[in-house]
């Protein structure tokens, strides 16, 4: 089953505030999409550059992968589970619970540094498990 997500990026230019909406069909949870966004945010000076990098990911010109496909959309997708709203200095992550009510829960709302810390906290158990797996593989290889 795919974990769908939407990405809403606010940019500002001479014409005022503009919102860009993107949709991703799979791997929308914070441990994948959220981690990619944290990396892109860290490497971007502003939300305009972030938007360009997100769109470049789709072509494989950034991160050397084409599996992070976001597509521009003009509407909110009702089937999405995760939503990322990125403003010039803050990010809000919302999860739509898979219950019959469609309850939405804010999982994170803060600045970019706090967001990177939030993602690092989510990924810490995964890094620990990978380290343990590598250790077990090495021990089996030498036995």
């Amino acid at each position: 089953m795919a974990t769908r997500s939407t990405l809403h990026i606010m940019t500002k230019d001479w014409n005022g505030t503009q919102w860009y909406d993107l949709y991703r069909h799979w791997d929308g949870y914070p441990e994948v999409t959220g981690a990619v966004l944290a990396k892109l945010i860290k490497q971007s000076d502003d939300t305009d550059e972030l938007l360009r990098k997100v769109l470049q990911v789709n072509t494989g010109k950034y991160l050397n992968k084409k599996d992070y496909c976001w597509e521009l959309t003009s509407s909110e997708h009702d089937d999405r589970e995760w939503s990322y709203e990125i403003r010039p200095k803050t990010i809000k992550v919302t999860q739509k619970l898979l219950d019959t009510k469609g309850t939405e829960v804010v999982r994170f709302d803060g600045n970019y540094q706090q967001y990177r810390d939030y993602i690092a906290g989510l990924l810490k158990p995964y890094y620990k498990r990978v380290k343990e797996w590598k250790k077990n593989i090495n021990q089996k290889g030498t036995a």
Side-chain angles (χ1 to χ4, degrees):
M1 183 174 149
T3 305
R4 297 163 180 88
S5 63
T6 52
L7 174 59
H8 312 283
I9 301 177
M10 175 200 281
T11 63
K12 291 185 176 186
D13 60 19
W14 61 272
N15 202 19
T17 299
Q18 179 75 28
W19 281 96
Y20 292 90
D21 299 320
L22 298 102
Y23 173 75
R24 184 169 180 194
H25 187 72
W26 62 86
D27 291 339
Y29 42 90
E31 292 85 351
V32 174
T33 291
V36 171
L37 289 175
K39 182 175 184 172
L40 295 177
I41 287 169
K42 185 176 182 179
Q43 298 173 353
S44 302
D45 292 329
D46 55 30
T47 52
D48 290 313
E49 184 177 359
L50 173 65
L51 178 63
R52 283 192 299 277
K53 287 184 178 182
V54 165
L55 294 174
Q56 287 174 344
V57 166
N58 288 348
T59 64
K61 291 180 181 176
Y62 195 77
L63 299 179
N64 298 319
K65 295 183 179 182
K66 291 186 179 182
D67 60 348
Y68 294 117
C69 296
W70 284 288
E71 61 185 70
L72 285 169
T73 184
S74 60
S75 64
E76 180 66 33
H77 285 256
D78 290 335
D79 64 344
R80 64 109 178 125
E81 185 177 350
W82 290 93
S83 177
Y84 301 84
E85 181 181 293
I86 302 174
R87 296 173 182 265
K89 299 288 180 199
T90 62
I91 182 169
K92 182 164 123 180
V93 179
T94 307
Q95 182 182 17
K96 184 188 232 180
L97 301 180
L98 299 176
D99 60 14
T100 55
K101 299 174 191 170
T103 306
E104 296 209 13
V105 178
V106 175
R107 296 295 184 191
F108 177 84
D109 193 356
N111 68 38
Y112 293 164
Q113 181 58 51
Q114 293 167 332
Y115 179 68
R116 287 192 293 272
D117 294 343
Y118 165 74
I119 293 297
L122 290 176
L123 294 177
K124 193 172 186 175
Y126 294 100
Y127 290 138
K128 184 178 178 182
R129 279 191 287 198
V130 168
K131 189 175 181 178
E132 289 171 2
W133 289 335
K134 287 181 179 179
K135 182 180 174 183
N136 289 339
I137 289 170
N138 288 337
Q139 287 175 348
K140 287 179 183 177
T142 59

